[in-house]
Amino acid sequence: MSDRTRPTLATVAARAEVAPSTASLVFSGSERVAPATRDRVLAAAAELGYAGPDPVARSLRSRRSGVVGAVIGERLAYAFRDPVAVQLLDGVTEVLSPLGVGLLLLPGDADRHGPTLAQLAHVPLDAVVYATCGLEDDPALEHLRRREVPIVAVDGPRVDDVVFVGIHDRPGTAELTRHLADLGHHRVAVVALPLRLDGTRGPVTAERRARVHYLDVRERMLGVEQVLGPVPVWEAAANAVEEGESAGRVLLDVPAADRPTAVVAQSDILAAGVLRAAESLGLRVPEDVSVAGFDGVDLPWLPPVRLTTVVQPTTEKGRVVGRAVTELLAGRRPADAVLDVSLSVGTTTGPARRG
């Protein structure tokens, strides 16, 4: 869209029948505007496809702010509690910091999956990294695309004009599942990462699964099914040890004949919770139940237990993201990148119990 056809603040104000200064207050986040008026201005902006004032053009002749946004799907505390997120962001900053580029974390909160459109509208951004989220129907993604902000999506979503950096989620999970099948495990359950960040936990129904919009969650489920066919899947409400423990109690606190002989968790954090649940129920790992994870992160409270897991090169993935951002800032479109993973067999998987 050329500058001549792109809607302006003035055209939005005219559509909403307010003064341009009032429309400007709405997009600056001012509380001096009545809610009804604010809603009318935002509705007019949506109708016209107006994404808000360009803060870079407004403040810098160079059209560079020196800021790259990192969208975090949940509250900021999540980024510092999840070792995968920490390693990823460390890899990104390792590449960008020498360039004088700062990384601005853009978190959500307990009630939404990311920053609001109002928050994004007045933030000057040279590029954006979807770091620990990536809903395929995220309205913020469309907002940023309309603003023509270069985007790198980590593990999803896969969109034509967005650079994708991911890993081989499905093949890696399939290799892990074949390892379990070779040990005689055919009664396997999955503890899945959130299908959507809406607080839902419980068995995944066909209707719920149809709403999966996280590519890595979907691919890891498909990796198990590629080997074993349909298996029970329990969705965790968050990637947290407590969620893994809660799921583990539900799956394992049943008669032995109904209990899975192995549990595949979609993260090492969730797997640690399943291990905790097994211990509290008096179950031996791996004699009574095998447990496996995904990520290959360092969990210092686990030794001497060594978790069987799929190892992903998280820090290197962050570096690849940083290099992709560098290319975008230079006006070049880097190729998508999908990194290899590897199976690490530890002490938490063994032959399936009989009976």
Side-chain angles (χ1 to χ4, degrees):
M1 181 179 294
S2 70
D3 290 335
R4 287 182 295 179
T5 59
R6 181 180 293 121
T8 65
L9 185 65
T11 57
V12 170
R15 173 69 65 89
E17 299 181 343
V18 299
S21 59
T22 301
S24 179
L25 287 173
V26 170
F27 282 99
S28 69
S30 173
E31 297 181 357
R32 293 161 51 194
V33 182
T37 302
R38 179 183 297 108
D39 292 344
R40 198 163 72 247
V41 170
L42 293 177
E47 292 172 4
L48 294 169
Y50 179 69
D54 183 349
V56 179
R58 185 174 58 201
S59 60
L60 298 173
R61 291 181 180 178
S62 66
R63 296 187 62 84
R64 287 289 174 85
S65 65
V67 175
V68 171
V71 179
I72 308 296
E74 299 182 87
R75 290 176 299 178
L76 192 58
Y78 169 82
F80 298 104
R81 290 172 54 194
D82 183 355
V84 172
V86 172
Q87 291 175 14
L88 176 77
L89 294 173
D90 185 59
V92 174
T93 55
E94 180 183 321
V95 174
L96 295 183
S97 293
L99 304 178
V101 175
L103 197 66
L104 174 65
L105 299 187
L106 300 169
D109 61 22
D111 298 319
R112 64 176 188 269
H113 55 72
T116 65
L117 299 186
Q119 287 174 316
L120 290 174
H122 59 275
V123 177
L125 297 168
D126 291 340
V128 164
V129 173
Y130 267 73
T132 66
C133 51
L135 279 174
E136 293 168 344
D137 58 355
D138 186 354
L141 180 69
E142 184 57 33
H143 167 90
L144 293 166
R145 293 169 71 194
R146 287 202 307 268
R147 273 179 58 181
E148 299 179 1
V149 177
I151 302 169
V152 179
V154 182
D155 297 325
R158 298 206 78 155
V159 183
D160 287 343
D161 57 349
V162 171
V163 179
F164 175 82
V165 176
I167 58 175
H168 289 294
D169 288 286
R170 191 190 305 190
T173 308
E175 183 181 3
L176 169 62
T177 307
R178 280 192 293 271
H179 161 70
L180 292 172
D182 289 343
L183 290 170
H185 294 280
H186 302 286
R187 205 160 66 239
V188 175
V190 170
V191 177
L193 292 162
L195 276 62
R196 299 184 71 90
L197 288 176
D198 56 8
T200 297
R201 68 170 60 83
V204 175
T205 63
E207 292 76 15
R208 177 69 177 173
R209 181 159 176 170
R211 300 190 68 230
V212 174
H213 289 282
Y214 287 113
L215 179 63
D216 53 350
V217 176
R218 180 167 59 242
E219 288 293 296
R220 292 178 195 182
M221 285 194 291
L222 290 172
V224 174
E225 294 172 349
Q226 180 177 314
V227 178
L228 295 177
V231 299
V233 180
W234 182 275
E235 178 183 4
N239 185 26
V241 174
E242 297 78 11
E243 286 290 327
E245 183 174 9
S246 174
R249 283 186 170 276
V250 172
L251 295 172
L252 300 178
D253 193 12
V254 296
D258 301 324
R259 195 165 58 226
T261 63
V263 176
V264 174
Q266 288 192 343
S267 78
D268 291 347
I269 295 291
L270 292 174
V274 176
L275 289 173
R276 184 185 292 179
E279 181 180 13
S280 69
L281 293 169
L283 299 175
R284 299 167 301 163
V285 176
E287 292 83 0
D288 297 319
V289 61
S290 288
V291 179
F294 196 110
D295 288 329
V297 298
D298 181 24
L299 301 178
W301 63 85
L302 278 185
V305 172
R306 289 186 297 106
L307 182 67
T308 294
T309 187
V310 177
V311 180
Q312 63 162 310
T314 309
T315 303
E316 177 57 25
K317 183 164 66 173
R319 296 188 189 106
V320 172
V321 171
R323 292 192 286 268
V325 170
T326 302
E327 288 290 296
L328 289 170
L329 295 180
R332 298 184 289 269
R333 206 293 190 183
D336 293 347
V338 182
L339 308 183
D340 289 331
V341 297
S342 61
L343 175 63
S344 175
V345 177
T347 61
T348 61
T349 53
R353 70 176 185 274
R354 295 182 178 180

